[in-house]
Structures are given as structure tokens and as C-alpha cells.
Amino acid sequence: MVSDDHAWAAVKRRDRSFDGRFVTGVLSTGIYCRPSCAARHPRRENVRFFASGAEARRAGLRACKRCLPDDVARDEAAVAAAIDEIRQAVGDAAGPPSLDNLAQLTGYSPGHFQRVFKRAIGLSPAAYARALRDERVRDALSEGESVTGAIYDAGFSAPSRFYDSTGGRLGMTASAWVNGGAGVTIRWALVETTLGPMLVAATDKGVCRLSFGEGEDDLRRRFPNADLVEGGGAFARLLADVVATVESPGDFAHIPLDVKGTAFQEACWKALREIPPGETRTYADIAAAAGNPKAVRAAGSANARNNVAILIPCHRVVRSDGDLGGYAYGQDIKRELLKREGAKT
């Protein structure tokens, strides 16, 4: 069960990722709601939190007719059924199931199911299917399969369809996933900051590495076949922006990134980028926002695999008991970043 303080904070920000984890009982009105209910917030002294709608009903409360909190379980079952259907179809030449087919399967209208699915997963069904296919290609490449074979095995009708579908999101071309950045130019610099020496590297798509205490040798181990070029005009402008953002942490959304991960890892990184400056989340919060509330350990792993410190602000994740938790570059840097952002842990 979420602590009362964390539950109230989730209610105040109408955080949909907490729907299904508890309900908000409003004693003055006799109703219970989802944490994300759009109704005006009640006074804190009139609120009691319950683990489920059934528990709230036993306390004499009735379900809110606006947010329909008892529909959360039905929504979760529908999303789970759709995910299973999409996963079974990945690799099929016929392609993933259509939104109409998924809606018919789950008993929702297409438009409503699209909203339910995106709210739970963070992606539309079509985008989720594309992410799974991309992930299948990456997994196959990491196991040494040929690029063309991996693309066809993932269900793409031609290599061109795969490259078109990524829309540049993968950054490097498919072969770079197994060839250490072959054919890719990575510009880099090592700069002094108030947090210590900082390595910044970027492809023409965006920042691919930001770390502390690393140098050129570390970068070459990550991308042994890339063309590493120190500095450069356009890169200098990007570097100045990155350094300014690091020295005065805030909103990093305008800085382009070139990162890779599984669909779940990328969903976690997206959730991290959506944490407002000055706020923190727990690993459980991130797992829920990524669409799998039970995958707390996997959310922690996604944090650890973050290649662009600060720009994907994994320093804003703390333990459920309020402890700072771990950080790849040490708690001192994490503590300082949170201090600069004014975060209360």
C-alpha cells in the first residue's frame, strides 16, 4: 500500500499511474475516487485512503460516477489482453491487430480503448506494436543475426519498412547495434563542471552519452567502431547548452537525445523525463508510469542503464522510505543535483 503522504501527493497531481493502486475516500461526501479523478480536490482532513474499492465500500462509501474507480480492474484486464494479442502478432507478416480488432476483443469502442491503452502504457497500441518489433530486431542483432534476417524475422516486409518505421528514433542505423557504432560519427568533449569532470558525446541525432569520471577510452569501449571526433562547431553549441543545463538543473526536454533500450526501458526513461524539476518519484512510481506497476526491479535496472545522466534525470528517483538510494556517480552528486532543483526528499 502506498504511504498516505505519497498517496495524497499523487492525488494532488492527479497522477494516472496510481490508478488501481489505491482509491481516495472522501468522508464528507461519502464517495471514493481514482487518484486521477478530475473533480475538485477535497480537504485533506476529509480524505482516507483505501487499498481497493471493495475496502472503501465496506467503510460505507460509494463509487464516484465521474471517474468510475471500479472500472480500473476492467481496464487493466483489457490492456493485458490487448498486449497478449499484440505480442502474439509480432513477427507475423499480416502485421499487428488493428485498433478496431483490439476494441472488439476487449469490448470497448475504438476511441475509448485507445485512450485506456495509452493511459496505461504511455503508447498507443500501434506505437506499442512498433516498439516491440524494433525491440525484436535489436535483440536478434545483439545475438549476432544478420541485419536483414533480423528485420524480416521481426515481421517487416522489407528492410526499408524497418528504417522508415524508426523515424530516426533509434539514432544509429541497425548495424551499429552490433558493430559498436560502425559508420557513425560521435563528437565528444571532456569539460570541467562544478560537479566534476563531465564527458559529453553526441551523434547528429542528439546526446548519446553524458557521464562523470569518464574519458575518451571509456567512450571508445562503448563505441569501438564509431568515428570519434573531438569538438566541432555545431557540437560546441550543443555542449554549451548541456553544460548550462547541468549547472542549473531544470527542464531538459529541449535537448535532443540519441539513446536505445527495450520498450520498457524507454518507457521508464520517458517517465523520468516527465518528472518536474523539484520533485522526486520512487522506483514503484516509475514502474507504474511505464505501464507495469509490478516491475519495480526492472525500473531500477532501467535507471542503471541510463546513458545520459541528468538529461534523463534518474537522480530524481528515491526509495519509498525517502532515502536517496543509489546513483551511478555517487550520492554526493545526486544530493547536490536535488538540492539545486529544490527537491524535497
Side-chain angles (χ1 to χ4, degrees):
M1 177 66 179
V2 180
S3 71
D4 282 3
D5 287 344
H6 279 93
W8 180 241
V11 169
K12 291 292 286 183
R13 63 178 182 266
R14 294 188 171 89
D15 194 332
R16 292 182 182 275
S17 68
F18 281 81
D19 289 355
R21 298 178 64 188
F22 66 87
V23 296
T24 307
V26 185
L27 305 183
S28 56
T29 61
I31 65 171
Y32 61 92
C33 305
R34 302 183 188 212
S36 65
C37 184
R40 189 173 68 177
H41 288 133
R43 296 172 66 89
R44 177 65 183 89
E45 59 265 27
N46 294 328
V47 170
R48 180 182 167 192
F49 299 107
F50 299 89
S52 65
E55 184 178 311
R57 289 194 297 275
R58 286 195 295 270
L61 305 182
R62 64 185 186 280
C64 174
K65 293 183 178 180
R66 181 171 185 173
C67 67
L68 303 174
D70 293 335
D71 281 0
V72 174
R74 182 190 173 205
D75 291 350
E76 290 178 345
V79 170
I83 287 176
D84 185 60
E85 190 77 5
I86 294 170
R87 284 187 175 278
Q88 290 186 41
V90 171
D92 191 329
S98 67
L99 178 60
D100 287 343
N101 288 341
L102 292 175
Q104 185 175 12
L105 171 71
T106 57
Y108 288 81
S109 69
H112 182 62
F113 182 69
Q114 174 101 327
R115 291 190 293 273
V116 167
F117 192 95
K118 190 169 184 178
R119 184 170 63 228
I121 303 301
L123 301 170
S124 68
Y128 180 75
R130 288 194 296 270
L132 284 180
R133 291 204 297 177
D134 293 347
E135 185 176 331
R136 176 171 287 195
V137 172
R138 288 197 293 258
D139 287 347
L141 289 173
S142 67
E143 293 173 1
E145 291 189 25
S146 71
V147 173
T148 302
I151 289 172
Y152 280 116
D153 287 345
F156 291 94
S157 58
S160 60
R161 296 297 299 274
F162 167 71
Y163 293 113
D164 289 343
S165 78
T166 65
R169 186 180 64 83
L170 294 176
M172 301 178 186
T173 59
S175 61
W177 298 114
V178 290
N179 291 336
V184 176
T185 297
I186 296 178
R187 300 186 182 278
W188 68 279
L190 188 63
V191 295
E192 287 294 331
T193 73
T194 55
L195 296 175
M198 180 176 72
L199 173 71
V200 181
T203 68
D204 59 354
K205 301 290 193 302
V207 178
C208 61
R209 183 66 178 168
L210 191 158
S211 60
F212 295 92
E214 291 188 338
E216 182 179 2
D217 290 345
D218 300 283
L219 191 63
R220 289 195 181 279
R221 279 192 290 271
R222 288 183 179 275
F223 304 105
N225 299 320
D227 181 18
L228 299 186
V229 177
E230 191 170 1
F235 175 76
R237 291 190 292 272
L238 175 63
L239 177 65
D241 197 7
V242 171
V243 172
T245 302
V246 168
E247 296 293 4
S248 300
D251 182 7
F252 319 125
H254 65 287
I255 297 179
L257 302 181
D258 186 355
V259 295
K260 69 182 183 74
T262 66
F264 181 76
Q265 287 170 346
E266 291 183 6
C268 286
W269 297 339
K270 178 177 180 291
L272 290 170
R273 296 261 283 180
E274 291 174 351
I275 302 174
E279 296 185 15
T280 59
R281 299 289 187 271
T282 66
Y283 293 107
D285 295 337
I286 298 302
N292 191 344
K294 297 181 180 179
V296 177
R297 183 172 296 180
S301 177
N303 262 29
R305 292 180 179 275
N306 172 20
N307 283 320
V308 286
I310 303 179
L311 302 183
I312 294 178
C314 57
H315 62 275
R316 294 177 186 163
V317 180
V318 297
R319 292 177 179 170
S320 57
D321 61 3
D323 184 84
L324 275 183
Y327 191 58
Y329 307 106
Q331 283 195 343
D332 288 345
I333 289 181
K334 182 173 186 176
R335 187 178 292 108
E336 177 61 24
L337 287 169
L338 293 175
K339 179 181 176 182
R340 293 181 183 186
E341 295 177 0
K344 296 179 180 179
T345 61

